[in-house]
Amino acid sequence: MNLSLSAKLVKEVTEIRLAFTHPSEDGQRQDPKTGRFIPYNFVKQFQIKADDRPLFASDLGGGLANNPQFLFKAKGLKPGTRISVDWVTSTEVVNDKGRKEEKEEKGRAEAVVQG
Amino acid sequence: MKNISHTRRSLLRASAALPLAWLAAALEPVRALAADWPIGLFKSPSTQEALKRLQATKAEPGKQILLEVPEVSDRTDSVPVRVMSLVPSTEQITILVDQALRPVVAQFNFSGDAVADVTTYVKLPGVSHVRAVVKAGSSIYVVAHEIKLAQEGCAAPLPQADKAQSGKTRPHHAKAGKA
């Protein structure tokens, strides 16, 4: 799981681009060879803040394209503003008792607004 | 959210002495990450059910909303979707792909300096309608556009008369002006 994050001030709008390297499986797709359902595995949520002020809170599903990408816009964020993205991914795993359960992975990426 | 009113009350007490602009930003709910992922919404098996959950069954057509999708796509694995709302105080945009097994694809919430203009890429199950539900205060708006697939661009149903003449081959007539 990798997140590439960039933030750039273009005229008066700060463009924030996210590019996740991660599958987008919703658990509904069948493997064409085995017929088995491919377990869900997708980017589930992220929150974007500017200098710790909330900007975007996103909830996502497995219907996005693989390696999900996003372009967000914010007003008036000056160069040097610290942008942070806290993300969560969700995967179906089989636990020690042989039961399916959800495993979440969390992480954070940071970038600074470029002028 | 379970603790939202508690958070708001304690923020109000703490920020009494601070400038107004900071106070406005501080009142935005700070969500615990991974809490409140709207499971029922994402698992809705139809657009109709999703619209009910979004309280958008009586939504107005969105005149101040731009939903930008390609009219025709030659791929189904990744199609760009942009939603821009000019409605003041837009708080939330939800994107749906009507014909997907689970139509709800993404939900974006905006606060602070965020502008209600988001672009992402979705998967298509075939010819689909992509739909945006926009929430601004107590108002809800909906816009939808169809995306055709490139291979189907030229297909047209044969006129009735041709069906009677079996054994003869006729070229498909592309119906111009419908795209």
Side-chain angles (χ1 to χ4, degrees), chain A residues 96-109:
Chain A
D96 313 328
K97 296 169 189 173
R99 297 233 177 96
K100 290 182 191 173
E101 64 179 20
E102 182 190 19
K103 178 185 165 196
E104 281 180 346
E105 251 185 63
K106 301 187 184 185
R108 174 176 252 232

Side-chain angles (χ1 to χ4, degrees), chain A residues 24 28 44-45 47 53-65 69-75 86 88, chain B residues 31 33-35 37-38 42 77-78 82 101-102 105-111 113-115 117-121 123:
Chain A
S24 204
Q28 305 280 296
K44 179 175 169 179
Q45 279 186 324
Q47 284 184 14
R53 293 188 312 270
L55 280 179
F56 308 96
S58 307
D59 292 305
L60 314 157
L64 289 173
Q69 292 180 56
F70 305 88
L71 168 58
F72 291 98
K73 296 178 189 174
K75 268 184 312 202
D86 289 291
V88 184
Chain B
R31 286 171 46 181
L33 200 58
W37 187 74
F42 280 97
D77 60 329
S78 177
R82 177 187 180 196
L101 284 172
R102 289 176 176 172
V105 160
Q107 186 169 75
F108 304 102
N109 299 287
F110 305 92
S111 56
D113 294 316
V115 170
D117 180 352
V118 58
T119 304
T120 189
Y121 296 78
K123 284 189 286 217

Side-chain angles (χ1 to χ4, degrees), chain B residues 55-147:
Chain B
Q55 297 169 323
T57 46
K58 292 183 183 174
E60 301 168 31
K63 290 171 196 169
Q64 286 179 287
I65 294 156
L66 169 75
L67 169 60
E68 217 173 65
V69 294
E71 269 188 42
V72 180
S73 177
D74 57 359
R75 60 192 297 187
T76 55
D77 60 329
S78 177
V79 175
V81 175
R82 177 187 180 196
V83 185
M84 177 174 81
S85 168
L86 295 171
V87 179
S89 305
T90 295
E91 308 158 7
Q92 185 185 81
I93 293 176
T94 308
I95 298 180
L96 296 84
V97 174
D98 283 358
Q99 284 74 13
L101 284 172
R102 289 176 176 172
V104 180
V105 160
Q107 186 169 75
F108 304 102
N109 299 287
F110 305 92
S111 56
D113 294 316
V115 170
D117 180 352
V118 58
T119 304
T120 189
Y121 296 78
V122 304
K123 284 189 286 217
L124 295 183
V127 171
S128 306
H129 284 83
V130 175
R131 187 175 299 267
V133 177
V134 175
K135 183 173 160 193
S138 55
S139 301
I140 304 194
Y141 306 91
V142 183
V143 182
H145 287 324
E146 186 182 23
I147 302 181

Side-chain angles (χ1 to χ4, degrees), chain A:
Chain A
M1 166 62 217
N2 184 49
L3 169 56
S4 123
L5 168 67
S6 72
K8 192 172 180 190
L9 183 64
V10 178
K11 294 185 188 174
E12 286 172 30
V13 173
T14 305
E15 293 186 354
I16 300 171
R17 290 169 198 276
L18 279 68
F20 289 88
T21 305
H22 194 275
S24 204
E25 293 289 352
D26 59 2
Q28 305 280 296
R29 193 166 71 101
Q30 282 173 292
D31 184 333
K33 293 173 201 166
T34 66
R36 284 188 175 178
F37 284 99
I38 297 164
Y40 62 80
N41 186 16
F42 62 101
V43 176
K44 179 175 169 179
Q45 279 186 324
F46 56 83
Q47 284 184 14
I48 308 181
K49 295 184 190 172
D51 287 337
D52 294 324
R53 293 188 312 270
L55 280 179
F56 308 96
S58 307
D59 292 305
L60 314 157
L64 289 173
N66 281 332
N67 300 322
Q69 292 180 56
F70 305 88
L71 168 58
F72 291 98
K73 296 178 189 174
K75 268 184 312 202
L77 298 181
K78 296 173 204 167
T81 305
R82 205 168 31 90
I83 304 292
S84 64
V85 180
D86 289 291
W87 51 263
V88 184
T89 60
S90 171
T91 311
E92 182 185 282
V93 296
V94 178
N95 65 12
D96 313 328
K97 296 169 189 173
R99 297 233 177 96
K100 290 182 191 173
E101 64 179 20
E102 182 190 19
K103 178 185 165 196
E104 281 180 346
E105 251 185 63
K106 301 187 184 185
R108 174 176 252 232
E110 293 186 354
V112 167
V113 176
Q114 308 293 311

